[in-house]
Amino acid sequence: MNNDVPPVEALIVVDVQSAFVTGDGAVPDAVRLLDRTTDLIARARRSGALVVHLQNDGPSGADDEPHTPGWELHHPVEAGTTEVVIRKPEDDGFVRTSLGSLLTDSGVKALAVCGVMSEMCVQATARTALALGYRVVLPHDAHATQNIPAAPGISGAVPAAVVSRVAEWALGSDVEITAHAADVHFTALSPSGPR
């Protein structure tokens, strides 16, 4: 884990939607997650970095089915040239979305990723960002997931904290994992901003 990392120009907030952070379906320790993502968003805004809220479009009947209460983003969005919402149909925020072109057009070289779920949408989005050549910072305390229930004949229950740590580890040595969201620093987009 690296606690002294250079700043990034973008923050990708993955699926911080009501279904996953409030009520009965909330990830364990959702209060901590929301505290960290709130702080990251506020600091990214103040610095002039790009803030991208990814919003998952779940299937019909899912907790995150579009235009249902669970689908709504938890954090208020200050929409503008440096803060956008991108809806996504897949785990990976780059698949069938404008995320890749937005990052390219904005001149982003380095980004931080936070949100839910660690082993699904967070990991998939971070993995593609790494494959595309971005420097990726993943704050350990700013992503979360659910406990994995026991599977008879396979394993006992797996605590969410373990799942999140394994998801980080599986990204390999190129991802920059910081212990705390507070260790992530931001810098403004280039003066030309998004083109």
Side-chain angles (χ1 to χ4, degrees):
M1 290 194 188
N2 189 347
N3 292 331
D4 186 27
V5 296
V8 298
E9 303 100 3
L11 174 66
I12 312 300
V13 184
V14 182
D15 302 350
V16 180
Q17 294 166 251
S18 294
F20 309 132
V21 295
T22 62
D24 294 340
V27 296
D29 210 7
V31 171
R32 171 196 51 82
L33 174 71
L34 292 173
D35 176 71
R36 301 316 187 271
T37 54
T38 298
D39 173 65
L40 285 166
I41 292 167
R43 291 190 296 110
R45 283 174 179 157
R46 282 195 304 270
S47 74
L50 177 66
V51 178
V52 180
H53 300 266
L54 295 180
Q55 185 174 28
N56 196 66
D57 287 347
S60 180
D63 292 339
D64 59 348
E65 177 183 351
H67 311 294
T68 64
W71 174 78
E72 297 296 332
L73 293 171
H74 179 80
H75 295 295
V77 175
E78 295 181 6
T81 58
T82 59
E83 186 161 352
V84 299
V85 176
I86 296 177
R87 292 172 60 179
K88 64 183 186 63
E90 307 286 344
D91 285 357
D92 185 340
F94 288 90
V95 174
R96 295 169 37 206
T97 74
S98 61
L99 179 59
S101 59
L102 173 65
L103 296 176
T104 299
D105 292 348
S106 299
V108 171
K109 303 293 184 206
L111 54 90
V113 180
C114 64
V116 296
M117 302 290 179
S118 300
E119 79 285 17
M120 290 185 264
C121 300
V122 169
Q123 186 190 70
T125 301
R127 185 177 301 283
T128 296
L130 288 166
L132 292 172
Y134 292 99
R135 210 182 106 238
V136 177
V137 178
L138 183 63
H140 174 74
D141 61 351
H143 66 93
T145 193
Q146 298 287 359
N147 298 317
I148 297 177
I154 298 174
S155 76
V158 182
V162 173
V163 179
S164 290
R165 180 64 185 121
V166 171
E168 292 173 346
W169 184 257
L171 286 167
S173 60
D174 289 336
V175 70
E176 297 178 32
I177 301 169
T178 65
H180 308 288
D183 299 328
V184 178
H185 304 288
F186 298 95
T187 188
L189 291 172
S190 64
S192 60
R195 294 183 282 281

